[in-house]
């Protein structure tokens, strides 16, 4: 990797990220996934550039994310000129709203899909995939609505969630820019 290269910038930003424990779950803290510590603008630009350069935007109708930490990526990637939609953590009661139960490695919640139509070709951007417990039920619901999953781009992969989804559902285009593990209490890049 070369200094100033988007891959180098993202990977370097992950090394040394603080770790906290939520029960038995090691949780890394990074500006892309948590909004703290403060984000160097180069890290967001690098992450955006890696996502934007990997997609054929002529084949995309809509960019989608899940609140809250997908929002910075959505704003950055949304600069492509494509419309955007946020899957929210509260109900708006709009016609066609879909309720989805999701789970992370340390919590469970409900999110609501609105204003995504059958036949739309979507790119999903998100901050982290660990267990796949958020993405899997969302992708299932979107697919059942007739949405075309063009790309699913996650900034940081931790754990086996992405690999599991790719193995069990090879038709889902789930990718992560950086794959990490926590080894002896430190973030290590394992790509």
């Amino acid at each position: 990797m070369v200094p100033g290269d988007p891959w180098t910038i993202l990977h370097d930003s992950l090394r040394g990220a603080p770790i906290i424990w939520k029960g038995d779950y090691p949780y890394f803290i990074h500006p892309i996934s948590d909004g703290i510590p403060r984000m160097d603008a180069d890290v967001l630009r690098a992450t955006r550039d890696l996502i934007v350069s990997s997609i054929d935007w002529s084949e995309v109708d809509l960019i989608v994310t899940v609140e809250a930490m997908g929002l910075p990526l959505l704003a950055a990637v949304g600069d492509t000129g494509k419309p955007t939609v946020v899957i929210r953590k509260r109900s708006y009661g709009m016609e066609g709203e879909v309720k989805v139960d999701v789970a992370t490695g340390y919590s469970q919640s409900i999110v609501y899909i609105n204003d995504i139509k059958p036949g739309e070709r979507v790119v999903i951007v998100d901050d982290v995939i660990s267990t796949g417990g958020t993405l899997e039920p969302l992708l299932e619901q979107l697919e059942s609505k007739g949405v075309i999953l063009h790309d699913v781009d996650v900034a940081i992969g931790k754990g086996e969630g992405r690999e599991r989804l790719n193995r069990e559902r090879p038709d889902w285009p789930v990718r992560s820019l950086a794959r990490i593990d926590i080894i002896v209490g430190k973030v290590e890049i394992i790509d």
Side-chain angles (χ1 to χ4, degrees):
M1 285 193 241
V2 179
D5 169 69
W7 293 106
T8 303
I9 292 168
L10 177 60
H11 288 178
D12 285 352
S13 75
L14 287 160
R15 291 184 181 95
I19 307 296
I20 62 171
W21 289 86
K22 294 191 173 220
D24 291 337
Y25 186 83
Y27 186 95
F28 71 99
I29 302 170
H30 186 268
I32 292 287
S33 58
D34 298 286
I36 57 171
R38 69 183 67 194
M39 186 173 335
D40 183 317
D42 288 341
V43 174
L44 184 58
R45 271 194 295 274
T47 306
R48 176 206 59 207
D49 292 350
L50 291 168
I51 293 171
V52 168
S53 67
S54 71
I55 295 171
D56 177 357
W57 292 98
S58 68
E59 299 291 322
V60 174
D61 299 313
L62 184 65
I63 307 168
V64 177
T65 197
V66 181
E67 74 170 333
M69 291 316 302
L71 290 169
L73 289 176
L74 182 70
V77 173
D79 194 34
T80 59
K82 297 294 179 177
T84 63
V85 166
V86 178
I87 296 173
R88 300 296 307 263
K89 293 181 179 178
R90 68 173 175 214
S91 172
Y92 287 84
M94 294 177 62
E95 184 177 334
E97 181 175 80
V98 177
K99 175 182 167 183
V100 184
D101 293 311
V102 298
T104 68
Y106 54 88
S107 69
Q108 295 183 337
S109 62
I110 298 170
V111 296
Y112 299 88
I113 301 171
N114 282 290
D115 199 24
I116 303 175
K117 297 170 183 60
E120 285 188 300
R121 302 167 299 175
V122 303
V123 167
I124 297 172
V125 295
D126 206 3
D127 60 325
V128 176
I129 182 171
S130 294
T131 65
T134 299
L135 269 180
E136 185 172 20
L138 287 175
L139 297 178
E140 287 171 348
Q141 281 294 331
L142 290 169
E143 194 173 61
S144 74
K145 285 177 56 85
V147 170
I148 299 163
L149 302 171
H150 186 275
D151 277 289
V152 180
D153 288 284
V154 182
I156 305 162
K158 175 187 172 284
E160 298 300 318
R162 186 197 76 185
E163 290 76 15
R164 181 181 63 77
L165 291 180
N166 285 335
R167 186 175 53 253
E168 294 173 5
R169 292 298 307 264
D171 54 319
W172 288 350
V174 180
R175 297 181 291 172
S176 60
L177 301 177
R179 188 161 178 260
I180 67 166
D181 199 356
I182 298 176
I183 301 171
V184 192
K186 290 177 27 182
V187 172
E188 298 287 344
I189 309 296
I190 58 173
D191 285 338

